[in-house]
Amino acid sequence: MTQRATSSPLPRTVSRALAGLLLLALCALSVQDATAQVARVQEQYQQLERAVLAAKEAHAANPTQQSLEIVNRALDTFRRYEQDNRALLQAQKYARGEGQATMDTGGPDGFGYTYIDSDEPDGPAYSFVDISGTGTLVAEGDDDSSMDSGIFAPVDLGGPFPFYGDTYTQAVPATNGYISFGPDITLDAGPDLSNDCPLPDDFSTPSGATLARMYPLHDDLELDPAFGSGLYFEYFASCPHPYSAGGCNVFHWDNAEHFNANGADQFDFEAILFDNGDIIYQYGPGNTEAGSGSTTGIQSLGTTSVTPDFGLTYACNTPGTINGNLAILIRAPDFSLADLALEKTVDDDSPEVGDQVTFTLTLTNNGAGTAKGVQVRDDLPDGVTFVSATVSDADNDDYDPGDGIWTIGEISVGETATLEITVTVTSSLPVTNTALIVFSNLDDPDPSNNSDSVTLNPVFADLKLEKRATNVVTFGCDDDGEDDEGESDDDDDGDDDDDGDEEDECIETVNASFLIKVTNEGPDTATGVVVTDTLPEGFTPLIIDVSGGTFTLSGSTITWEVGTLSNGAMATMEVTIEGLNQGSRLNTATVTSDVIDTDEANNTATAFAGPRDDPRFVRGRGPGNIIDRSGRRFQSDLSLTKSVDEETAASGETLTYTLAVTNSGPQSNNGVEVTDELPECLDFVSASASAGTYDEDTGLWDVGQVRVGATATLEIRVKVTDDCSGEVTNTASITSANLPDPDDFPIDPFDPAEPDDEASATTTIAAASARVAALLEAYPNPFNPQTVIPFEVKTSAHVRLAVYDVLGRRVALLVDGVQPEGRQQVTFDASRLSTGMYLVRLEAGGQVQTHRVMLMK
């Protein structure tokens, strides 16, 4: 069987213009010359057509690869000649005064079928063939089908014929002018006089059969008794088409009278089926007026509720449209193609971390062929974890979460298949999930709809907590021993009374008021907002007033359930507390919520309960030599931590030590100094401190003041020299501060507090050759918004380079694969990230290296 040669027809306006020019050229010639020219073209056309038929017959008699190549060459030559001379052949029809049809072109229907008639410049060539003498009679009579005639069973088509996405090898012709196809065509039997007009709105197949049909001329083809009993509607079939190259089957109706009152005229028509799905209807040269009450077109298998857009009407109760010398080409879509379209949706694109969401993938076959073994890849991204999957056809389809492949056994034209994937959201960062069609047994003419993505934007907000003292009142003692608000003792004798003879009986107290404010700086609404305020030891609340929500008091802890805060909203709580005057006491509040907070650094706020800078202390004896008037020490609990970014290193690499000194109170401290003398085998490179300065010669970090609740940090970058080997330990210690540290003076000498004013970090130095890959310093650093991260591969290996936030969540995967030997670099773009510290992590050969980079927007 053959397929038509595909070509791009000329635009209609160009084709008409070309035909007009050819007409002028023909008019300029003599009638004899014009006739001779057309005759030569037609003669050559017929010769080429006969050559194709001869090649086909030779191949059928002795099929070989060589004979098949001869057939293909003959077909190519024939089709090129037909295309090159189409305009001249059409111009001949116009010159004879023919070609006045009004239907022209139409379609496509929902499946992709179109039509064009022979009166169009790019239409089919008219070549009516009467096979009533050579074909096989398969039906005769009135209002009958071949199944009832008993003459012939369903016609064998001689090869597969594609029609509306299905393939048929048999058809049933009916004397009322239609051809039926279907899974059980024996049901399409008996009279069917309705003209099914228009298509596809009406479907008159009897017995409830679900069949597809062609309608060259569907109507009650009347038989006038004047013809006599020997004349019937005769229906012939022939395969292959005896005179048309590329034709497979021709069905021919003969002696059909169609609305002719005197019964004197014969009306013949035929349908030619091509193996690529194309159809040509042709009408005999002797035919006269027809079309009234009849339908010409095609209709799909099914009913209007199944395929409402699958059908094509050429003529519908339109008198005079179907006459002689007319050919209608119904062009099928390319059945070797399947326009597969993939759509992806999600039921909630703004989830909270921990929520489950469901992705839905919908695959649709928009025609024209049935696709088999289709595979869609959906690799779940970082930030979600797989829970379950459900396919629409569990008997034939499957989804493997391991490789992300969804396999669809078969999907017909117009059919859809779905896959639902349920996942748990684990990241607060935006997560994009992309699905892609990766395989189909048919080519896809439109790959632009082969993939689709959805992005999860987890709900997050930036809750900012602020706290400040609004009023501090001290209640002191007057000379008569009674409390006197706001007064203080001004003597300097160091005693606790004014006269130096006896101790006052009153006790100084403090009332302090605080304002706590929580603001949602967005971008999303925060739910489940809770503020916790833990009062200093010895203080009790007097007044608590909140602008919204509710609060509870348990011991010294206030729990304020704010509830919901929309973007930009604010809530406040005012607290007044009372306690003994013991100097400055730290009061801390924290805020939490059900959503991810993008900046946890501002979730805590501190203020001082009591006078922050109370001058009423005297120099005296005691640890630290600093006491207040009641004999209580002013003190400051300083602690030191130290870490190194690499647990193992090689000569020539750079290490970063990070020191952090924290003041846990109860008082702020000045004159804080930390000493960090580097081991001799490490060469100093640079240092950066959040407070104070570092002297690399002496190893002294002059921190200065560290307020209560604050932390000061120092980063020291060093280079490993060849003198380093084995374990190298770097130790730092707090060597000076104005106020004493309570850890240095334990209450119970037999249970001393764990010292926290010294810290060490150890790195094992390995041979340089042992390092598979080395992570080098990023530049610039700090950066905004991009930084270059270089690394060196000592020997070809699998390298994984990623960036994490300080909470350990991966925010970018920059390299993941085998890398060649040599120095390389990648650019890290943090445009979508917020200001803060990020960790660059390189894994290679079982070794891990980490550097820090700072994004400052």
Side-chain angles (χ1 to χ4, degrees):
M1 301 186 70
T2 60
Q3 300 226 359
R4 71 161 185 268
T6 58
S7 61
S8 300
L10 296 171
R12 185 177 301 179
T13 54
V14 177
S15 299
R16 291 189 183 278
L18 179 58
L21 291 174
L22 289 170
L23 280 173
L24 292 176
L26 289 171
C27 291
L29 300 172
S30 66
V31 175
Q32 183 178 1
D33 291 340
T35 303
Q37 182 180 2
V38 172
R40 286 193 299 271
V41 171
Q42 289 187 331
E43 181 181 0
Q44 181 66 19
Y45 180 83
Q46 292 170 356
Q47 290 178 355
L48 294 173
E49 190 174 34
R50 287 193 294 271
V52 170
L53 294 174
K56 283 187 173 182
E57 291 175 357
H59 179 67
N62 183 24
T64 64
Q65 182 63 34
Q66 183 178 6
S67 65
L68 180 60
E69 292 176 357
I70 294 174
V71 170
N72 290 333
R73 286 198 298 269
L75 278 171
D76 290 341
T77 304
F78 170 77
R79 289 165 177 164
R80 285 197 299 270
Y81 188 84
E82 181 182 38
Q83 182 65 32
D84 293 342
N85 294 277
R86 183 180 297 276
L88 180 61
L89 295 174
Q90 296 298 331
Q92 180 197 18
K93 295 185 64 178
Y94 281 89
R96 295 199 307 263
E98 302 172 4
Q100 305 303 316
T102 59
M103 305 310 296
D104 300 329
T105 62
D109 67 356
F111 198 89
Y113 280 94
T114 60
Y115 69 75
I116 183 172
D117 65 27
S118 57
D119 292 327
E120 285 293 302
D122 297 319
Y126 175 76
S127 179
F128 185 83
V129 179
D130 187 349
I131 63 168
S132 58
T134 59
T136 302
L137 179 65
V138 295
E140 63 178 345
D142 185 17
D143 297 341
D144 204 357
S145 73
S146 63
M147 293 303 299
D148 281 353
S149 68
I151 298 176
F152 195 73
V155 177
D156 290 327
L157 299 179
F161 174 72
F163 192 52
Y164 278 111
D166 291 307
T167 302
Y168 303 98
T169 58
Q170 290 183 322
V172 171
T175 56
N176 280 318
Y178 61 84
I179 304 173
S180 295
F181 305 87
D184 188 4
I185 50 180
T186 60
L187 293 176
D188 202 1
D192 182 6
L193 307 183
S194 170
N195 60 21
D196 289 352
C197 181
L199 301 171
D201 293 340
D202 296 325
F203 200 82
S204 61
T205 302
S207 306
T210 304
L211 303 170
R213 282 181 173 180
M214 296 176 188
Y215 298 97
L217 190 74
H218 184 209
D219 206 346
D220 184 10
L221 303 180
E222 297 178 356
L223 176 65
D224 195 309
F227 279 103
S229 61
L231 293 176
Y232 296 93
F233 304 144
E234 296 175 319
Y235 191 178
F236 302 90
S238 177
C239 184
H241 189 302
Y243 303 113
S244 177
C248 174
N249 301 279
V250 57
F251 297 88
H252 180 79
W253 285 257
D254 192 49
N255 294 337
E257 179 196 1
H258 188 238
F259 297 108
N260 291 301
N262 58 11
D265 296 320
Q266 178 176 309
F267 194 92
D268 297 340
F269 56 93
E270 64 189 10
I272 302 173
L273 282 57
F274 292 81
D275 60 354
N276 66 344
D278 284 357
I279 310 160
I280 289 182
Y281 298 155
Q282 296 195 109
Y283 303 88
N287 294 348
T288 57
E289 194 277 330
S292 177
S294 64
T295 299
T296 297
I298 56 176
Q299 188 175 51
S300 70
L301 179 149
T303 63
T304 56
S305 63
V306 177
T307 53
D309 298 321
F310 288 5
L312 198 63
T313 303
Y314 176 86
C316 177
N317 293 340
T318 309
T321 57
I322 308 297
N323 291 306
N325 301 311
L326 176 67
I328 305 168
L329 168 62
I330 298 176
R331 182 174 286 119
D334 192 342
F335 289 103
S336 67
L337 303 178
D339 180 13
L340 299 178
L342 183 64
E343 181 183 11
K344 188 179 183 96
T345 60
V346 65
D347 59 352
D348 182 6
D349 62 0
S350 299
E352 297 179 3
V353 174
D355 286 354
Q356 287 190 357
V357 300
T358 299
F359 297 108
T360 300
L361 284 69
T362 303
L363 180 70
T364 304
N365 187 349
N366 293 324
T370 297
K372 298 181 179 181
V374 179
Q375 289 188 336
V376 176
R377 183 171 182 173
D378 189 343
D379 290 327
L380 296 178
D382 292 339
V384 298
T385 56
F386 176 79
V387 176
S388 63
T390 303
V391 294
S392 56
D393 186 357
D395 293 333
N396 301 298
D397 302 345
D398 178 64
Y399 174 72
D400 185 348
D403 57 16
I405 295 296
W406 172 30
T407 302
I408 300 94
E410 180 176 303
I411 181 166
S412 303
V413 176
E415 188 180 21
T416 61
T418 60
L419 165 66
E420 293 183 348
I421 305 175
T422 300
V423 299
T424 299
V425 180
T426 60
S427 173
S428 62
L429 299 176
V431 175
T432 298
N433 188 7
T434 300
L436 171 68
I437 299 173
V438 295
F439 177 78
S440 171
N441 67 316
L442 301 182
D443 291 335
D444 195 319
D446 182 14
S448 65
N449 57 9
N450 286 177
S451 65
D452 198 13
S453 302
V454 293
T455 299
L456 301 180
N457 292 289
V459 176
F460 59 89
D462 180 11
L463 293 178
K464 179 181 180 181
L465 189 66
E466 299 173 274
K467 183 173 185 178
R468 62 184 178 88
T470 58
N471 188 34
V472 178
V473 178
T474 301
F475 295 88
C477 301
D478 56 16
D479 292 338
D480 57 10
E482 296 182 357
D483 291 343
D484 186 9
E485 180 178 344
E487 294 186 1
S488 61
D489 186 4
D490 293 331
D491 66 349
D492 295 325
D493 59 5
D495 294 333
D496 291 335
D497 58 359
D498 293 333
D499 54 12
D501 296 327
E502 61 181 73
E503 188 179 39
D504 293 337
E505 296 180 357
C506 71
I507 300 176
E508 291 184 348
T509 60
V510 173
N511 282 5
S513 298
F514 299 94
L515 176 65
I516 302 172
K517 179 172 69 173
V518 57
T519 305
N520 182 3
E521 297 189 343
D524 298 316
T525 297
T527 58
V529 179
V530 176
V531 175
T532 303
D533 186 13
T534 302
L535 303 179
E537 183 181 356
F539 281 83
T540 58
L542 297 177
I543 302 173
I544 302 175
D545 185 19
V546 295
S547 62
T550 60
F551 68 88
T552 57
L553 178 64
S554 177
S556 60
T557 300
I558 303 172
T559 302
W560 173 27
E561 296 184 358
V562 182
T564 300
L565 278 182
S566 59
N567 182 14
M570 177 188 68
T572 59
M573 177 172 68
E574 292 186 83
V575 180
T576 300
I577 59 176
E578 178 185 47
L580 298 178
N581 184 4
Q582 303 180 57
S584 298
R585 303 299 298 276
L586 186 66
N587 188 5
T588 302
T590 58
V591 61
T592 60
S593 73
D594 292 339
V595 302
I596 291 296
D597 197 305
T598 57
D599 184 8
E600 296 181 348
N602 57 11
N603 290 170
T604 302
T606 59
F608 292 92
R612 180 174 179 178
D613 295 316
D614 193 335
R616 290 171 294 170
F617 68 88
V618 294
R619 298 283 178 178
R621 298 179 179 179
N625 203 33
I626 302 177
I627 59 173
D628 65 12
R629 291 182 60 116
S630 301
R632 291 179 291 270
R633 289 193 306 273
F634 283 95
Q635 54 192 11
S636 174
D637 183 6
L638 297 178
S639 59
L640 180 67
T641 61
K642 182 168 187 174
S643 63
V644 65
D645 62 344
E646 297 290 345
E647 294 182 357
T648 60
S651 177
E653 294 185 10
T654 301
L655 300 177
T656 299
Y657 292 102
T658 301
L659 287 70
V661 58
T662 302
N663 185 357
S664 300
Q667 276 83 36
S668 297
N669 209 335
N670 286 296
V672 178
E673 294 180 353
V674 176
T675 300
D676 186 350
E677 295 181 0
L678 299 175
E680 294 183 359
C681 70
L682 300 178
D683 287 346
F684 175 81
V685 176
S686 63
S688 60
S690 64
T693 59
Y694 176 74
D695 187 340
E696 64 271 21
D697 294 330
T698 62
L700 181 64
W701 175 23
D702 186 357
V703 184
Q705 184 184 56
V706 182
R707 297 182 182 277
V708 178
T711 298
T713 60
L714 168 67
E715 286 190 352
I716 306 174
R717 284 171 289 279
V718 298
K719 186 175 183 180
V720 179
T721 70
D722 294 339
D723 296 333
C724 290
S725 63
E727 291 187 352
V728 175
T729 301
N730 187 7
T731 302
S733 58
I734 301 173
T735 53
S736 180
N738 287 354
L739 295 181
D741 192 315
D743 289 346
D744 297 335
F745 306 98
I747 297 175
D748 185 355
F750 299 100
D751 185 18
E754 184 71 22
D756 55 7
D757 55 358
E758 184 175 280
S760 300
T762 301
T763 297
T764 300
I765 308 301
S769 59
R771 178 71 73 187
V772 174
L775 180 61
L776 308 178
E777 289 294 324
Y779 61 89
N781 186 23
F783 68 99
N784 179 27
Q786 294 182 339
T787 184
V788 175
I789 302 175
F791 61 96
E792 184 176 2
V793 180
K794 307 291 186 180
T795 180
S796 179
H798 187 282
V799 175
R800 183 180 180 90
L801 182 65
V803 182
Y804 297 81
D805 62 16
V806 293
L807 298 180
R809 299 172 299 197
R810 194 176 76 187
V811 299
L813 180 60
L814 305 178
V815 177
D816 190 8
V818 176
Q819 302 299 311
E821 180 179 343
R823 182 184 173 94
Q824 303 175 50
Q825 64 183 37
V826 294
T827 299
F828 171 43
D829 189 333
S831 301
R832 62 185 179 89
L833 301 177
S834 58
T835 296
M837 183 78 70
Y838 293 90
L839 305 178
V840 181
R841 178 185 174 95
L842 183 142
E843 301 176 44
Q847 301 169 342
V848 177
Q849 303 166 64
T850 305
H851 286 182
R852 298 187 181 188
V853 291
M854 174 65 74
L855 172 62
M856 300 183 65
K857 291 187 175 181

